[in-house]
Amino acid sequence: MANTIALAGNPNSGKTTLFNALTGARQHVGNYPGVTVEKKTGQYKIDGHTFQLVDLPGTYSMTAYSMEEIIARDFIATEKPAVVVDIVDAANLERNLYLTLQIIEMGVPVCIALNMMDVAKSRGMHIDSARLSEFLGVPIVPTVARSGRGKKEVMAAAADIAGAGPSKTTLNISYGEDIDNALTEMVPLISGSGLLTDYYPARWVALKYLEADEQIVSAGEAANPDLSRELKKIADRVTRHLSATLDTYPEAMIADQRFGFIKSIIRQGVIQMDTDEQRLYLSDRIDKVLINRLAGPLIMAGVLLLLYHFTFVYSQVPVAWLENMFGALRGLADAHMAEGLLKSLVISGIIDGVGGVLGFVPIIMFMFFGITILEDSGYLVRVAFMLDRVFRMFGLHGSSVMAFIISGGIAGGCAVPGVMATRTLKSPKERLATLLTVPFMNCGAKLPVFALLIGAFFAYNKAWMMFLITLISWGGALLIAKLLRMTVIRGEATPFIMELPPYRLPTVRGVLIHTWERTWQYIRKAGTIILAISILLWTMMSFPQLPAETAKNYEAVRQQALAEYPAPVRNELRKQGGDDSLSPAARELEDRLSGISAEKSQAALKYSVAGRIGTSLESVSHLAGFDWRTNIALVGGFAAKEVIVSTLGTAYSMGAVEAEQSEGLSRQLANSPLWRPLTAFSLIIFVMFYSPCFVAVVCIAREAGSWKWGAFSMGFNTVLAFILAVSVYQIGTVLGF
């Protein structure tokens, strides 16, 4: 791929930041490892040439231990980009150069972006990039991706390499006598037969046989079984020899020699230190408090409470603005549209349905704002670090924490990227257990449901209630993970290593962009998927209409009520403009007519397709405190959880008497005799644990490699949620709540 430039590098090296700076894209950049799981593409123009930029997942090595490493290595080997720009964290040079050596050993053209030079300088490090370039034999350009410094220079260097035509960078490291002798024996065999040499250098293939790389060995066996057996014999012989003489094995020996090579380079004047290398940096001093074994969890709980307090307290004013705006729209439609199905569709299907979801935009935005600050500052990865020990107790891996957080561990995430984030887990069983339990987190779609019910029934302390919901979702997910690991997904746990990046002050621009991107994603979903589902549900709630005879009976009752009052009272009611100047008799007539209309609306809703589905489920769902209207909303929630609020809004709107008498859904629920705090809490539990949305189910099936796990997620979760909701409701009823 002559016009393709691949960006590779360690996680958290600033790779995606540089990609965004070069392409103008807004790929999410988190101050924690593993943000880029799939490769992203963009374009960059220089000197009249257009290059395709590919942002590869961050990896620590080119061994095929994880999905990111496989994606990155396969792309470099099979797609053969014109240049690989390796983004190296200058402040952690020694560790980052380990990947650099492996990329160079693959024989591809390489250019190094020596990134975060500002951080290295702040730590008293002076790096001689020219000398380092001389040792490695590749061009090196100092950069600061966050400010864009050096981005043009690094692309100019990459363009020069691409313009020079096909070339290969060579670097032959000595791995000690035993390994070197084996390489000398293996390389001619591989070169002579052309085993995998269309993609990899012969020496690199030999190294992978010595490292027992399963992917390369399998490919070699498929291509040339006889030669592969011979290479494995050589590798086995070296393994036995190293074990007997040095109590080690080839892969460890190769890694040791690579780090030794890096140390020898660095000590030859590549790095000069102004300060004591052993001193504690600011991040280290902060970590002494924030991840302290005793103080850390308390601080974490305090941060969550502060986030929820900030979200619910300061979003009240804009939430009221949106409620008033949709109320005005409703009134406008009611005043200017003729009675009929179209008016019902506009008011009940569109304004109340979509408006019910959009009304929570301020809450979503405030929550995302706080989460983005925590994420970009580097605090979220500390949360993962502190929870690692807890996760291992429940059969999960430390890396599972990030998938949980992305899915809504701190309310407001999304299960879809959370499921995809499980690709960083190396153990298939730990990965499966994680992707089956991350949907229990409180994603942004569940947040409006919780906000609605908390506002209606637990308004006295919203932040504490949201904190309790967060604890329940985490506790439930971990217990279910333990259950799965003890039954259907048994297996050994694997060790955990996580990088703790330095704390960084989030930029105002970055926080605002990421907040808006996540909020816009929510708004766009409301304007497309939720609008479509709202209209579909409205149709299901409107048809079939009441039989003509039944409708005629209601009209007869209405006319009879009108006939019981004298003409002046009827005229007074007809002329009144919504003020409070009605006489007692006119007000009494108005109440009777309203009651008749409500009774008719309820009968019509029950007669509809949705009403029949909800009613048929009521014989079972009443055990959890759910009536037929709640059932309709929960059925819609299988498609998208946001639909629950919009469907409740539509259902209660259709049951309302007159448009001008309608009130907020939250107040309607709070004033309904069918609802009480226990009913709301039971519904919260059910929504928390029941089936993931369709998109998440598809994602689970794809990542698990089988639709049976997608079906398992829907069936198991829904049954579990119902059992929990029934238990909560029945026990709460016995206790008098």
Side-chain angles (χ1 to χ4, degrees):
M1 300 179 76
N3 63 341
T4 300
I5 296 176
L7 304 186
N10 277 194
N12 219 47
S13 62
K15 181 171 54 59
T16 302
T17 304
L18 181 61
F19 176 82
N20 288 344
L22 291 169
T23 63
R26 290 179 178 176
Q27 297 296 337
H28 179 61
V29 179
N31 191 15
Y32 56 82
V35 171
T36 309
V37 178
E38 291 184 318
K39 56 182 183 289
K40 314 290 184 187
T41 61
Q43 288 190 337
Y44 183 80
K45 293 182 179 180
I46 182 171
D47 297 334
H49 298 287
T50 300
F51 288 97
Q52 188 80 8
L53 295 190
V54 179
D55 181 22
L56 298 176
T59 64
Y60 292 107
S61 73
M62 284 287 118
T63 49
Y65 283 145
S66 67
M67 187 67 75
E68 313 103 290
E69 290 169 346
I70 292 173
I71 291 172
R73 192 173 81 178
D74 285 353
F75 182 85
I76 293 173
T78 59
E79 301 296 333
K80 297 193 179 303
V83 187
V84 175
V85 175
D86 177 29
I87 290 82
V88 169
D89 177 2
N92 294 286
L93 186 61
E94 185 173 329
R95 190 194 65 212
N96 278 240
L97 286 179
Y98 186 78
L99 175 66
T100 304
L101 293 187
Q102 293 183 76
I103 296 175
I104 294 175
E105 284 183 312
M106 290 182 74
V108 295
V110 177
C111 172
I112 293 177
L114 197 57
N115 196 31
M116 301 190 195
M117 289 295 285
D118 54 339
V119 178
K121 187 178 180 181
S122 70
R123 295 184 178 184
M125 299 171 64
H126 293 278
I127 301 174
D128 188 340
S129 58
R131 192 167 179 77
L132 182 60
S133 173
E134 186 181 336
F135 283 126
L136 295 177
V138 298
I140 296 178
V141 180
T143 60
V144 179
R146 278 160 62 89
S147 66
R149 191 184 119 197
K151 67 176 185 179
K152 291 182 180 177
E153 290 80 358
V154 75
M155 290 309 296
D160 287 344
I161 295 174
S167 63
K168 290 187 177 180
T169 307
T170 57
L171 180 67
N172 289 335
I173 300 172
S174 173
Y175 291 107
E177 185 178 355
D178 296 321
I179 300 288
D180 286 349
N181 287 340
L183 290 174
T184 302
E185 191 176 350
M186 297 166 82
V187 169
L189 297 175
I190 296 170
S191 299
S193 65
L195 181 69
L196 307 179
T197 52
D198 288 343
Y199 302 107
Y200 310 104
R203 192 172 191 271
W204 190 87
V205 174
L207 279 171
K208 292 299 143 184
Y209 264 86
L210 290 167
E211 290 177 331
D213 185 300
E214 290 182 7
Q215 192 186 33
I216 296 300
V217 172
S218 296
E221 286 176 349
N224 190 333
D226 294 336
L227 178 57
S228 183
R229 276 195 294 274
E230 191 171 348
L231 294 173
K232 286 173 70 176
K233 282 183 182 176
I234 299 172
D236 291 342
R237 188 188 70 212
V238 176
T239 302
R240 288 194 299 272
H241 180 71
L242 288 176
S243 175
T245 57
L246 299 173
D247 192 24
T248 186
Y249 51 95
E251 188 178 11
M253 173 66 79
I254 291 169
D256 287 346
Q257 295 294 330
R258 283 187 180 133
F259 277 116
F261 181 81
I262 293 167
K263 282 184 182 297
S264 70
I265 291 176
I266 289 176
R267 289 175 181 173
Q268 293 182 62
V270 170
I271 295 180
Q272 300 292 330
M273 298 295 297
D274 280 348
T275 57
D276 179 8
E277 292 184 46
Q278 302 304 317
R279 75 181 173 87
L280 287 177
Y281 297 113
L282 179 59
S283 288
D284 300 322
R285 291 199 293 270
I286 295 174
D287 276 343
K288 277 188 168 293
V289 178
L290 291 190
I291 60 175
N292 179 276
R293 183 166 294 185
L294 296 176
L298 295 176
I299 294 173
M300 181 173 65
V303 168
L304 288 182
L305 275 174
L306 189 64
L307 172 66
Y308 295 149
H309 180 78
F310 163 77
T311 299
F312 285 105
V313 171
Y314 294 100
S315 64
Q316 285 181 353
V317 173
V319 165
W321 291 343
L322 282 177
E323 281 183 356
N324 293 335
M325 186 187 80
F326 283 106
L329 279 176
R330 200 179 198 284
L332 201 63
D334 184 59
H336 293 88
M337 293 185 72
E339 293 294 336
L341 285 175
L342 180 60
K343 181 177 180 178
S344 176
L345 170 64
V346 171
I347 293 179
S348 299
I350 298 176
I351 296 178
D352 286 343
V354 177
V357 176
L358 292 181
F360 292 95
V361 164
I363 295 176
I364 298 287
M365 183 178 286
F366 276 62
M367 183 72 80
F368 284 157
F369 181 81
I371 291 174
T372 302
I373 291 175
L374 295 177
E375 192 174 341
D376 289 359
S377 67
Y379 182 69
L380 277 193
V381 74
R382 267 76 183 178
V383 172
F385 176 78
M386 286 186 283
L387 293 174
D388 166 53
R389 184 173 299 178
V390 177
F391 266 56
R392 278 185 287 164
M393 291 169 55
F394 290 92
L396 296 174
H397 189 267
S399 295
S400 305
V401 179
M402 292 315 305
F404 273 65
I405 290 177
I406 292 170
S407 299
I410 298 175
C414 177
V416 173
V419 168
M420 294 178 68
T422 61
R423 293 179 178 184
T424 58
L425 277 77
K426 296 174 183 175
S427 163
K429 293 185 176 178
E430 289 172 339
R431 181 165 179 254
L432 182 58
T434 305
L435 65 85
L436 288 176
T437 48
V438 292
F440 297 133
M441 295 294 99
N442 299 323
C443 65
K446 296 177 185 173
L447 193 57
V449 185
F450 298 154
L452 168 73
L453 297 175
I454 290 173
F457 298 99
F458 309 100
Y460 47 87
N461 209 327
K462 296 178 180 177
W464 276 101
M465 192 61 197
M466 196 65 219
F467 183 64
L468 176 64
I469 289 173
T470 302
L471 292 181
I472 293 173
S473 65
W474 277 89
L478 291 175
L479 288 172
I480 295 163
K482 184 68 174 177
L483 175 67
L484 293 175
R485 293 287 279 146
M486 292 173 63
T487 53
V488 293
I489 318 177
R490 291 181 182 175
E492 295 295 322
T494 55
F496 170 65
I497 300 173
M498 175 171 276
E499 177 189 359
L500 293 182
Y503 290 101
R504 294 174 193 152
L505 191 63
T507 63
V508 174
R509 183 171 180 271
V511 170
L512 293 179
I513 286 176
H514 295 148
T515 301
W516 171 245
E517 284 176 342
R518 290 171 166 177
T519 307
W520 174 243
Q521 190 177 18
Y522 176 82
I523 295 172
R524 191 171 54 185
K525 198 172 178 183
T528 53
I529 298 173
I530 295 170
L531 174 61
I533 296 174
S534 293
I535 292 175
L536 173 65
L537 288 171
W538 173 86
T539 306
M540 292 174 65
M541 286 188 273
S542 300
F543 298 98
Q545 294 186 306
L546 282 175
E549 189 64 28
T550 306
K552 191 176 176 181
N553 289 339
Y554 278 110
E555 182 58 27
V557 173
R558 175 183 167 81
Q559 292 302 324
Q560 184 179 350
L562 287 169
E564 291 176 7
Y565 290 83
V569 173
R570 297 197 299 269
N571 290 334
E572 183 185 357
L573 187 61
R574 191 179 301 122
K575 293 176 181 176
Q576 67 98 13
D579 53 32
D580 297 327
S581 59
L582 290 176
S583 64
R587 190 175 299 282
E588 183 181 281
L589 174 58
E590 183 186 51
D591 291 342
R592 283 191 62 182
L593 294 178
S594 298
I596 295 168
S597 295
E599 195 176 330
K600 181 184 177 184
S601 297
Q602 292 286 342
L605 189 55
K606 268 196 167 183
Y607 192 75
S608 67
V609 172
R612 295 177 193 189
I613 294 173
T615 304
S616 64
L617 293 172
E618 201 175 38
S619 59
V620 177
S621 68
H622 79 279
L623 296 171
F626 307 154
D627 73 343
W628 57 277
R629 284 180 292 194
T630 306
N631 293 343
I632 297 172
L634 291 175
V635 169
F638 277 91
K641 295 292 178 290
E642 297 95 330
V643 172
I644 296 172
V645 172
S646 63
T647 308
L648 280 174
T650 304
Y652 276 85
S653 165
M654 295 179 83
V657 181
E658 297 290 346
E660 60 270 19
Q661 293 179 354
S662 68
E663 50 190 343
L665 178 58
S666 183
R667 278 171 290 170
Q668 280 188 314
L669 296 182
N671 295 331
S672 170
L674 299 175
W675 284 79
R676 51 182 166 142
L678 181 62
T679 313
F681 192 65
S682 173
L683 182 56
I684 287 173
I685 294 296
F686 187 83
V687 171
M688 189 185 300
F689 290 103
Y690 91 119
S691 171
C693 66
F694 280 163
V695 180
V697 170
V698 171
C699 198
I700 288 171
R702 192 179 66 178
E703 294 297 319
S706 171
W707 273 101
K708 76 175 184 181
W709 291 114
F712 176 85
S713 184
M714 291 183 71
F716 174 78
N717 292 15
T718 303
V719 171
L720 172 73
F722 185 68
I723 292 172
L724 292 175
V726 169
S727 301
V728 166
Y729 188 76
Q730 295 299 326
I731 293 173
T733 301
V734 170
L735 295 177
F737 289 101

